Every structure is written in structure tokens, then in C-alpha cells.
Amino acid sequence: MFHSGCVYIPSEVLHSKNASAGVSSPIKKLVVCHKSQKSFDRSTRRASRSTQQIWASYVDAENECTVSDVYLLSESNTNSSMQDRLAKEFESTAACVPVEMPKNMVNGIKFHADSKEDGLNVMFVDLDLFSTKDNAASVSDIQTLMDCIGTLVKKKRTLMHVKSDAISNAIASMLSDGKKDKSQCINGEELKTFLSGQEQAIIKSHLTGDLIRRLNKKNVAKNCPLTNHPARFIQCPLDTDERKEICRFYNYDEERGCLRSIKAQRNSNLKGCDMDHEHCHRCGCEGHRAFECTSDATVDTNTSLMFQKAEDGKITTTSLDGNDFKSSKPRDVPVPSLLVLGGRCRGRTLNSCEFLPLSPSAGSWTALPNLQEHRGSHAACSPKGTGVVFVMGGGGVDGNLDTVELLDLQTSHPQSVSDGKEFKWSIMSDRLSSARHAFGAVCVTNEDTHTSFAVGGWMYGTKSCESMEKLSFKASQSCSELDLQKGARWEKCSPILTPRRLHSVAASVDGSSIFVFGGYIDERKVTSSIESYDVKADCWSATDELPYPEKSCPLVQAVPDWSPGAENSFLIFPYSDSNANETCKPTVLRYTPNSPEKFVPAVVPNADNTGMKHLEMPIKNWHSFSATVSPSLQTAYVVGGLIDSKWTGRGFLLDLTTMKWQELPEMSLPRRRLTALVIE
């Protein structure tokens, strides 16, 4: 596959007039690379005509191409419409050809039983199905696959349509580095060198601890105002709590300004920008933009600020980054407390953290030390009684993360925070098996062992992750940062049955099982499936389906139900449809596995117990929030997210004994795709 007679082209430039530029040797195999499923599926339509056009454009414009055999290599459950289209296109019946692949036995569908010795083979292969890794096909995966294909096509000329994230991303990078024209082909030796270099960089990064940044060399990241400038807000007048974020595109993009606002001015049906377009992002004054600002203000340009405007027009600033709290001591965080960690706020990925004391009643939000990495759509958990918080993975400023941070809040082990040592997050030496975001984490304590699990997620491209891994340590040992750095290591568990992302993960009250609820399985399709994991047996089973219509199943957040009398049940808080304006609040469900009535609406009992009503979410049009629970207080918490498509810092507690909502103090920063947990 990687010899000089094999060349690659991205599907976007199939009809380029200068497509064969730079190819010096005869082409034996031409590979058309598709990144999306839609593009790959479309390649089987009018395949006969497009085959002639591609071959004429790239290989031989003088002689007509004669098609010999056509193959579709796929899993046994491949969409039959692709097979039907190919059979119709090439006017033949299909014969099944078994092909031994690296992971499993794959059905090869062969058309044109009477092969022509001098004809052209045409193949359609979804390479991402055959990867031996979660994230992408490696050089060895590609070579193994092509060796198998070679037994079918032998030495015949072959046109291949291949769906592969790894190859498509590699070709896009090679054609965008300025050394090649985007109409050119990539030969096999060049591609092999590039992919091998990428793999070595990944191996090196895990050995050295250096992070691979996906966007460092992209102009879009280099020049984006959201990347270069932190979020800043304006509050005026001072006697109100209302604040508005200052638009960074309006302030720093001199050529285009805020495109959302401009488009809304031209089309009244479009939603405009709801940010501030009157104040300077640099100094907070009115009448000019940041790129025009001549103020001699010496404010740190990397700091998130609140500009506060008094009646006399004087501007004062307050830092929102929480740096003043780095000297805090563990005893400043009482138990129990609600923690919110990281998240996203209007295009900015956050590293700020806050806690809210919960006993005897909710106090006010106080800043915790900032995370070492900015993280959104990450996961977090804390084993009960340890005072240690784990934050893992997530989407960083310029790519997915595989790092794990921990914060030691415990007071029972004074050696965990030595004299003069700064109270802060530290990055663990051991990492997740792969970088990913939009996954879940949960802690389980059984007998004398604390175990943290990381489940599923979203890797680069379109692929959801099936991985599950765990970090275990003895409950009897010291849980200090030093001990965990020395002895705790991530181990692989059995993978989930349906790879997914943006799902919810929750452990049963007795700690014997872990459940995953819903989530996306690709860019558009939401699954309603519920799977359960037996912690002792290390095995997954398909349990139930969420009771929503297949085509409109919402994402959900689920927590174990610690209300009096509950038996290993869960409370399910559904997200609102982000594309619809709700007229009523979604109903909270109670899910009890192995019960005759598995899904029932949670109910609010009246004072005299004579009647009950269904428990609804406290707000309409609420999406992307985080939910957690306190077993000792018998309360659940729902915080952050989007309300009416706007970022929010609001949150509510649900008393599990009365099933009544109570609003919490608002967080200092609105955020969505955050993680929330209770320290107990």
C-alpha cells in the first residue's frame, strides 16, 4: 500500500484538472480518501460513471477504463442500500467472499463474477471499522488491511474508496503545509513517512509528558480572538448583579468584526450576538474597540476580568481567574461541599473552579485553585471520605487531553500539604489510555478498595470511544497526593457495548454496578440504550432503553437515588431540546432496574399525602447542565449549562425527602459542559 505506485487523493478534489501533478511513476492503485460517512456513502452512487471520470482525470485520459471486479468490504451489518446500489450500477449479482481481517471476520461482497485479466478493480472500504486502536488506524493497521486486500486484487490496477480519519487528516496536513499544491496527489511512501512520524510523536509525548497540540500550526487558532483573549465582562450600574460579556470578535477582528451581529442586521430571522458591543475589551471604556485602544492601562492581557462602571464613569476591575485563592489551605473547604470544575463559557474553555459549602445550609461560592489545564466536557470524581478529587481528560484549548489532575483536600493527613507548599492541582504521572472528551467518570468503594472509572467519550474526528479504564487504591492506605502519584495506575476494563459520548454515568447505591445512559453514537444519532457493568465480573450487559421516542431521545443526566426507601434506583434529569422552545418543563424520571415498572415519573407528595404530582425540572429550556448527589444530605444538585440558549451560572438542589427544588446562589462564572461533584 505504501509503495510509489499507490497514490492518494482527498475526495474534495476529485475533479481537479491538475490532479496528477507531481506523480512520476505509473499508478497501480489510486486511493480516494473520505473523511465523513456521508461522503463515503455518496461514493457508491453513480459509481460506474464516477469511476470512468476519476480514472481519466488521474491516470489515463486516452483509453477507456474497463471495470473488472467490484468489492465492498464491511461488517456483516453494513447498510444494504450500498450493496443494492453497487449491484444495480454494475448490473451484476453479488457473491460473498470471506476475508480474514485483523479484528474479526468481515464480509466481502464481490460483484462481476467473470473477472477480466486487464480490467480495473473497484473497492469500497471503511478502514475505521478495522482499527486496532480506539483513536485511529495506525500504519500497521493500514498495511495489514492492504495485505488482505492484495490477496483479492493481486496485481491488477485498483481504484479504492477508503473512509479513514487518520489518512484524511494526514493528507489534509500534507497538502496545507505550503509545499504541495492542493490539487496534487500524495504517494504511498510520503504518506507512510508522515504517519510514522505522527505515531513516533505520540509515543514520545507519552514518554516525556509533553502534550501534542493539534492547532498550534493552524492560522485559525493563532488569530482567533477566543484563543488569544480571555473572557471579560461589563457590569453597570454597580448596584445590579447583571453583567454582560464583551464581544471579542467585535473588539479584535478589525477586518470583519462580529459576523453574527452583521448577519442578523441583514436578516431579521437570524439570532444576533447577545454580547456587549459598546465597551472596549482592553480597558472597559466606551466609544472604541480594543484594536483602537490607546489607554495606558497595565492590565494583564491574559486575565479574565469584570469591568465595573460607577455612575461617575470610573472603571474598576476585578479578576475572575481565582488566582488570589491559591494560598488557601485544605481546611478552608468544609465537608460536604459542592464543587464545580472547569467547563466552557461563550467560546472560552475554563480552568477556574469553585466550591459551595452545603452544611448546615448553602453558603456562598468561593474560588478553588485553577486547574493546570483548561478543560471542558471533561470528567471528575472523588472517592468518598478521601478528600481527593480527580479531574480527567476533556477538551483543552487546542485539542483533547489524556492528562489527569488531582487536588488533595484532606485534613486527616497533614503530610499531604507540606509546610510552605502551595495548595494547587497536580498532574498525575499516569495518563488515560487515549485523549478524549465528552465522557463520564464515577467512583465505587467496595470492601477496602476505592476505584475510579472513566467510561466512553469522544476522540478526534467522528469516532466515539468504547474504552473503560479504572484507577484503584486501597482505602486503608494514605490517600495523599504523593502516595497516589507513586502507586496508582490506570488499568483497562471490558469496553462498553455501544461506543458513545455525551452520555451519563452513575453507580448503583450498593456499588455493585455502573450504568451508562443514552448519549451520541455519531455526529447526529442519539442512542436511548442503557448498559450496566458488573464491577466484580468486569462485564457489560444491555439493560434497557430510555422511554423516549427513538428520533427525539434527549440527552440525560442520571444520579443514584438516595431518597428514603429507594432500592438501587436512579433519578433521570432530561436535557431540553436545544433546538426547540419548550412550553412545559421536562419530567424527572425514576428508573429502577429489575422492577416491573422500570420507568415512572418522580412525584412530589402533598403535605397530607392525599395527592401527588409529577416532579418537573425547575426551569424550561435547560440544556448542558451537570448533575450530582450527596448521599449524606439526601440531596441532588443540578448546576450550570444553557437556559434559553444562554450560558448560566444558576443551579438548584433537590431535597430527596420532600422532592422539592430550591435555588442555589449563582456561580461567579456562567459555564456549561462543566463537571460537578460533592465532597463528603
Side-chain angles (χ1 to χ4, degrees):
M1 178 179 184
F2 291 119
H3 56 73
S4 58
C6 182
V7 297
Y8 299 77
I9 56 173
S11 60
E12 296 85 354
V13 294
L14 284 179
H15 304 293
S16 172
K17 294 181 180 179
N18 193 33
S20 61
V23 180
S24 57
S25 57
I27 297 176
K28 296 296 184 183
K29 291 183 175 62
L30 178 64
V31 183
V32 181
C33 301
H34 302 268
K35 186 172 183 178
S36 69
Q37 183 64 44
K38 182 177 180 181
S39 174
F40 181 65
D41 181 74
R42 192 165 54 228
S43 67
T44 61
R45 301 172 184 173
R46 300 181 180 178
S48 178
R49 187 178 69 176
S50 63
T51 297
Q52 299 290 342
Q53 292 174 340
I54 294 170
W55 199 257
S57 298
Y58 285 83
V59 181
D60 190 348
E62 297 180 357
N63 300 310
E64 183 178 356
C65 169
T66 302
V67 176
S68 174
D69 294 331
V70 182
Y71 299 87
L72 172 62
L73 299 187
S74 63
E75 291 182 325
S76 58
N77 60 349
T78 294
N79 190 330
S80 61
S81 61
M82 296 180 71
Q83 301 177 19
D84 296 339
R85 281 198 297 270
L86 290 175
K88 183 177 179 180
E89 278 287 317
F90 296 99
E91 300 179 349
S92 63
T93 57
C96 188
V97 181
V99 182
E100 185 70 31
M101 302 305 297
K103 289 180 68 177
N104 50 19
M105 184 67 73
V106 175
N107 288 337
I109 307 301
K110 176 181 177 181
F111 307 89
H112 278 227
D114 297 328
S115 302
K116 300 178 177 62
E117 291 297 329
D118 58 347
L120 170 70
N121 284 299
V122 181
M123 304 195 77
F124 299 85
V125 185
D126 187 346
L127 181 57
D128 288 337
L129 293 175
F130 312 130
S131 170
T132 58
K133 297 182 180 181
D134 276 331
N135 51 347
S138 64
V139 171
S140 60
D141 288 333
I142 298 171
Q143 189 63 64
T144 301
L145 174 66
M146 298 310 293
D147 289 343
C148 295
I149 291 174
T151 62
L152 295 176
V153 302
K154 302 187 185 306
K155 296 183 179 180
K156 292 182 180 180
R157 296 182 302 172
T158 305
L159 168 65
M160 297 181 61
H161 289 270
V162 173
K163 177 181 174 292
S164 170
D165 278 345
I167 296 179
S168 296
N169 290 334
I171 292 175
S173 298
M174 296 173 73
L175 293 177
S176 64
D177 64 1
K179 297 180 181 180
K180 282 182 172 288
D181 185 271
K182 291 187 177 181
S183 64
Q184 288 185 310
C185 298
I186 300 294
N187 69 52
E189 293 175 347
E190 290 178 313
L191 180 64
K192 181 179 181 180
T193 301
F194 185 88
L195 288 173
S196 298
Q198 281 191 325
E199 290 187 5
Q200 290 302 315
I202 293 173
I203 294 172
K204 182 179 179 182
S205 75
H206 280 272
L207 293 175
T208 63
D210 296 330
L211 292 173
I212 296 176
R213 300 300 191 186
R214 293 195 305 149
L215 304 178
N216 275 353
K217 297 182 179 179
K218 293 186 178 181
N219 291 332
V220 64
K222 181 179 179 182
N223 300 322
C224 179
L226 300 182
T227 302
N228 293 333
H229 306 284
R232 290 181 174 177
F233 304 83
I234 183 72
Q235 178 182 351
C236 54
L238 289 176
D239 58 354
T240 69
D241 293 330
E242 183 178 354
R243 62 185 181 182
K244 205 170 187 181
E245 183 175 351
I246 301 173
C247 181
R248 284 168 277 179
F249 287 103
Y250 175 79
N251 269 270
Y252 292 101
D253 194 331
E254 181 178 0
E255 181 179 348
R256 298 177 299 176
C258 178
L259 294 181
R260 178 176 291 181
S261 177
I262 293 173
K263 290 178 180 178
Q265 293 173 9
R266 297 173 180 174
N267 185 348
S268 60
N269 294 323
L270 297 178
K271 180 183 177 182
C273 179
D274 58 2
M275 298 187 189
D276 179 88
H277 292 79
E278 298 179 1
H279 295 83
C280 172
H281 185 274
R282 183 168 181 263
C283 69
C285 295
E286 294 182 78
H288 63 273
R289 293 188 281 178
F291 69 83
E292 303 167 330
C293 185
T294 58
S295 171
D296 59 355
T298 57
V299 175
D300 183 1
T301 56
N302 294 319
T303 301
S304 183
L305 299 174
M306 170 75 76
F307 293 112
Q308 296 166 309
K309 187 174 182 179
E311 291 183 359
D312 60 1
K314 184 178 180 181
I315 300 290
T316 58
T317 60
T318 302
S319 173
L320 298 178
D321 276 346
N323 294 326
D324 295 337
F325 294 87
K326 285 188 176 180
S327 60
S328 300
K329 297 297 186 292
R331 62 176 177 271
D332 294 332
V333 184
V335 176
S337 285
L338 173 64
L339 276 61
V340 294
L341 313 168
R344 304 190 192 278
C345 178
R346 299 182 178 93
R348 183 190 179 204
T349 302
L350 305 174
N351 68 341
S352 64
C353 305
E354 306 175 54
F355 73 90
L356 180 70
L358 298 177
S359 183
S361 60
S364 59
W365 289 99
T366 305
L368 281 169
N370 289 345
L371 295 165
Q372 297 282 350
E373 290 277 353
H374 295 251
R375 300 175 189 263
S377 298
H378 48 299
C381 60
S382 175
K384 184 178 180 180
T386 65
V388 176
V389 183
F390 295 94
V391 174
M392 57 202 78
V397 174
D398 51 8
N400 285 347
L401 302 171
D402 60 0
T403 54
V404 180
E405 298 187 39
L406 64 89
L407 183 66
D408 186 358
L409 298 172
Q410 60 188 330
T411 58
S412 58
H413 302 284
Q415 68 271 24
S416 65
V417 180
S418 59
D419 292 339
K421 182 179 178 180
E422 190 176 53
F423 175 42
K424 64 178 183 179
W425 293 89
S426 61
I427 296 182
M428 293 191 66
S429 57
D430 201 32
R431 301 183 177 209
L432 297 173
S433 62
S434 58
R436 59 185 183 269
H437 73 289
F439 64 108
V442 68
C443 290
V444 171
T445 299
N446 284 323
E447 297 176 351
D448 62 343
T449 302
H450 296 300
T451 307
S452 299
F453 293 88
V455 188
W458 190 351
M459 299 185 178
Y460 299 127
T462 61
K463 189 162 186 176
S464 295
C465 173
E466 63 183 9
S467 291
M468 180 174 182
E469 46 201 307
K470 66 180 180 180
L471 183 90
S472 300
F473 56 94
K474 294 293 183 181
S476 58
Q477 74 182 50
S478 167
C479 299
S480 70
E481 172 191 329
L482 181 62
D483 293 325
L484 291 173
Q485 289 280 23
K486 286 182 177 180
R489 293 293 180 267
W490 288 98
E491 305 172 35
K492 282 278 191 178
C493 303
S494 295
I496 54 179
L497 304 179
T498 303
R500 63 187 75 199
R501 56 202 188 233
L502 292 175
H503 51 288
S504 183
V505 181
S508 60
V509 170
D510 62 8
S512 64
S513 302
I514 294 172
F515 287 73
V516 294
F517 299 82
Y520 277 94
I521 57 177
D522 58 30
E523 297 100 317
R524 298 181 179 181
K525 187 175 181 181
V526 177
T527 179
S528 61
S529 72
I530 300 175
E531 297 178 19
S532 62
Y533 173 77
D534 188 313
V535 175
K536 288 187 177 181
D538 184 31
C539 65
W540 286 92
S541 59
T543 306
D544 288 299
E545 300 282 333
L546 290 167
Y548 300 104
E550 180 179 355
K551 294 184 178 180
S552 58
C553 181
L555 298 178
V556 301
Q557 287 282 293
V559 299
D561 184 1
W562 287 89
S563 59
E567 297 181 0
N568 272 339
S569 59
F570 299 86
L571 292 174
I572 297 176
F573 305 104
Y575 285 178
S576 298
D577 186 345
S578 58
N579 298 316
N581 187 20
E582 291 180 330
T583 57
C584 59
K585 302 170 185 175
T587 299
V588 178
L589 298 180
R590 176 175 278 112
Y591 167 60
T592 308
N594 305 318
S595 171
E597 289 189 276
K598 296 183 178 181
F599 297 95
V600 296
V603 295
V604 183
N606 290 338
D608 56 3
N609 290 323
T610 58
M612 298 182 181
K613 65 177 182 178
H614 292 172
L615 175 66
E616 298 178 331
M617 295 294 292
I619 303 176
K620 294 187 296 184
N621 300 316
W622 198 3
H623 195 276
S624 302
F625 52 78
S626 181
T628 187
V629 68
S630 167
S632 64
L633 298 178
Q634 293 185 322
T635 51
Y637 302 88
V638 182
V639 294
L642 298 173
I643 298 176
D644 293 326
S645 300
K646 296 181 180 180
W647 282 260
T648 185
R650 297 176 68 182
F652 291 80
L653 70 82
L654 175 64
D655 188 326
L656 300 182
T657 60
T658 63
M659 301 306 286
K660 292 183 178 180
W661 292 102
Q662 177 184 334
E663 186 157 9
L664 297 168
E666 190 167 349
M667 294 181 287
S668 66
L669 270 179
R671 57 184 86 201
R672 70 182 184 101
R673 301 296 184 209
L674 69 157
T675 55
L677 57 86
V678 175
I679 288 288
E680 294 198 300

